[in-house]
Amino acid sequence: MAEGKTFEYAVRDRSGKLVKGRIEAVNQAAVANRLKTMGLAPLTIDEVNTGGLRKEISIPGFSDKISLKDMAIMARQLATMINAGLSLLRALTILAEQTESKALAKVLAQVRSDVETGVAFSAGLAKHPRVFPPLMVNMVRAGEVGGFLDQVLLSVATNFESEVKLRGKIKSAMTYPVVVFVIAILAVVGMLLFIVPVFAGMFASLGGQLPLPTQILVTMSGFLKVGAIPLLIVVVLISVWWGRHKNDRAVRERLDPIKLKVPVFGNLFRKIAVARFTRNFGTMIHAGVPILQALDIVGETSGNIVVERAAKSVQDSVRTGQSLSAPLSHHPVFPPMVVQMMAVGEDTGALDTMLEKIAEFYDQEVEATSEQLTALIEPLMIVVLGSIIGSMIIALYMPIFSIFNLIN
């Protein structure tokens, strides 16, 4: 198979408007044929030299990052263009050219090429599982079958935007304690490496027995001076391992249940998981995705293995023809209010509407809990940081009280 090349083109569309873009193909003739099948009149087709000095430099983990915000904007713009009467191919071409994310633009160009060759839009999205989540792929597939793709894409955009907002609330709640914790560690390490040795040398020249707190500090300082580099290496290795394996099934099986039981933050994590589950479940049902298929997906997208297990039990219950909400009552992660509201929605045939109301309620709960935690943690962390630094200073100055006795 011949290697694909990149070509820049300028064409006139049916309205006579000049359109420019890039496309991958074997040669210029293939580009011209493809553009003509799209109803475009080629003006210029030039091969792009992607080698040598013109080759873009990409930094792994940065340039190839596609944020959820980019996905939300893309879904809303695509829905708007399709609703306005543009063809899917034309809309994908425009999105690939105007999106700010180069990585997303490249993926959209590949999806457009697949759609152009007769592949279904949902199948083209499914070829990129690291970019387009199963929730979006299955909703788009339901929209294609039902003929309401623009409405589905609007639902996807709204879902992504809600998730972006939810993540912002989580970050706002976690940023302050994490920053203070890092500052506390740096302050303690700095004192142990640079301040304690000065006092230790002074105490040694005076002789005498050091108080126990001071001796502990001197011992920690000596250990850190010898083991600082090995300790740093261990921290880096643990960070790398965590980055690669934090989403592994075995790791999540152990950590996710603990997250829900953590003091102070456990209640917040539970509300976040419930908000995600109900919002994704309601969005998929509203889009026409079969319940069993939706349950299989929303459990994975909830972000917690405990909720995923609950979704599996509900799936088994529905498969045997039983109630949808009854199995949730056996899982403490779902409050009674959620179970009762889902039962009412199931009985009245408005489950998607009820799930949307539950998600809205818990989004507000997450915001309120985040604000309460921030207000509680700020003075608490200041007290903790002050206690740590103050205790170290007191331990350092305790021997000074007996210096005059040693001199005499």
Side-chain angles (χ1 to χ4, degrees):
M1 183 177 178
E3 182 180 358
K5 301 176 183 179
T6 302
F7 294 89
E8 285 184 346
Y9 63 84
V11 297
R12 294 280 183 188
D13 60 12
R14 291 186 176 90
S15 62
K17 183 179 178 181
L18 180 65
V19 179
K20 296 182 179 180
R22 288 191 176 192
I23 194 170
E24 291 186 0
V26 178
N27 51 44
Q28 289 183 336
V31 175
N33 290 333
R34 184 179 297 181
L35 294 173
K36 289 177 182 177
T37 58
M38 295 169 62
L40 304 172
L43 299 176
T44 61
I45 300 174
D46 299 313
E47 183 178 349
V48 178
N49 180 16
T50 57
L53 295 177
R54 294 187 61 184
K55 187 173 183 180
E56 294 183 353
I57 299 174
S58 61
I59 303 175
F62 291 91
S63 59
D64 57 349
K65 182 74 172 179
I66 300 176
S67 68
L68 191 61
K69 186 177 180 180
D70 293 330
M71 296 290 295
I73 294 173
M74 181 273 295
R76 187 164 293 279
Q77 290 178 339
L78 184 59
T80 302
M81 286 187 283
I82 292 176
N83 190 38
L86 273 69
S87 66
L88 180 59
L89 280 174
R90 180 73 184 280
L92 288 172
T93 301
I94 295 172
L95 280 176
E97 293 175 356
Q98 73 177 21
T99 182
E100 296 180 0
S101 172
K102 293 183 178 179
L104 181 57
K106 184 178 180 180
V107 173
L108 287 173
Q110 294 172 357
V111 173
R112 184 195 55 74
S113 297
D114 289 335
V115 172
E116 189 180 359
T117 58
V119 176
F121 182 37
S122 57
L125 297 178
K127 291 183 179 181
H128 308 276
R130 298 185 64 180
V131 178
F132 304 107
L135 180 142
M136 181 177 180
V137 174
N138 284 274
M139 287 181 64
V140 168
R141 184 176 292 119
E144 288 176 326
V145 174
F148 46 90
L149 182 60
D150 55 339
Q151 298 177 23
V152 165
L153 288 171
L154 282 175
S155 298
V156 171
T158 303
N159 184 280
F160 285 166
E161 288 163 356
S162 299
E163 183 66 19
V164 169
K165 189 176 180 181
L166 180 63
R167 291 184 182 183
K169 294 172 185 175
I170 299 171
K171 287 180 180 179
S172 65
M174 299 296 294
T175 298
Y176 188 84
V178 169
V179 170
V180 174
F181 181 70
V182 171
I183 292 175
I185 292 178
L186 293 177
V188 170
V189 171
M191 291 186 69
L192 290 175
L193 287 178
F194 302 108
I195 298 177
V196 174
V198 176
F199 281 82
M202 182 178 66
F203 298 151
S205 63
L206 294 174
Q209 183 69 29
L210 292 175
L212 180 60
T214 309
Q215 185 60 51
I216 292 175
L217 273 184
V218 172
T219 303
M220 291 175 62
S221 176
F223 170 77
L224 196 60
K225 288 173 67 176
V226 176
I229 294 179
L231 185 62
L232 181 62
I233 294 174
V234 170
V235 171
V236 171
L237 291 176
I238 292 175
S239 300
V240 172
W241 182 89
W242 175 252
R244 293 181 178 179
H245 298 283
K246 63 182 179 180
N247 294 322
D248 290 357
R249 184 81 182 184
V251 175
R252 292 182 59 204
E253 288 277 359
R254 292 178 178 272
L255 291 183
D256 283 0
I258 297 176
K259 285 182 182 179
L260 302 178
K261 299 177 182 178
V262 173
V264 182
F265 288 98
N267 190 35
L268 175 62
F269 292 146
R270 184 177 75 162
K271 291 177 180 178
I272 291 169
V274 172
R276 279 178 176 159
F277 174 83
T278 52
R279 181 172 54 253
N280 293 340
F281 193 22
T283 303
M284 296 195 75
I285 291 177
H286 182 73
V289 179
I291 287 182
L292 288 176
Q293 190 175 354
L295 285 169
D296 194 32
I297 295 168
V298 296
E300 298 177 1
T301 58
S302 65
N304 195 287
I305 203 75
V306 177
V307 178
E308 186 176 342
R309 291 173 185 164
K312 293 292 183 184
S313 65
V314 174
Q315 194 177 24
D316 294 338
S317 175
V318 173
R319 188 176 285 113
T320 56
Q322 299 179 17
S323 169
L324 176 70
S325 57
L328 295 181
S329 60
H330 303 296
H331 297 271
V333 68
F334 290 99
M337 184 199 78
V338 175
V339 179
Q340 293 298 324
M341 289 184 69
M342 287 183 64
V344 172
E346 190 177 9
D347 293 339
T348 59
L351 182 60
D352 55 341
T353 303
M354 197 64 71
L355 287 168
E356 183 180 351
K357 293 183 180 297
I358 297 172
E360 290 176 357
F361 173 79
Y362 275 96
D363 281 339
Q364 295 173 359
E365 282 287 295
V366 168
E367 185 173 0
T369 305
S370 300
E371 293 175 355
Q372 292 172 2
L373 287 177
T374 303
L376 173 66
I377 288 173
E378 284 183 9
L380 187 62
M381 293 300 289
I382 292 174
V383 171
V384 171
L385 181 58
S387 300
I388 293 174
I389 304 300
S391 300
M392 295 180 68
I393 293 175
I394 292 173
L396 288 176
Y397 279 92
M398 284 178 66
I400 295 179
F401 299 140
S402 59
I403 283 180
F404 293 107
N405 293 331
L406 293 173
I407 293 176
N408 294 331

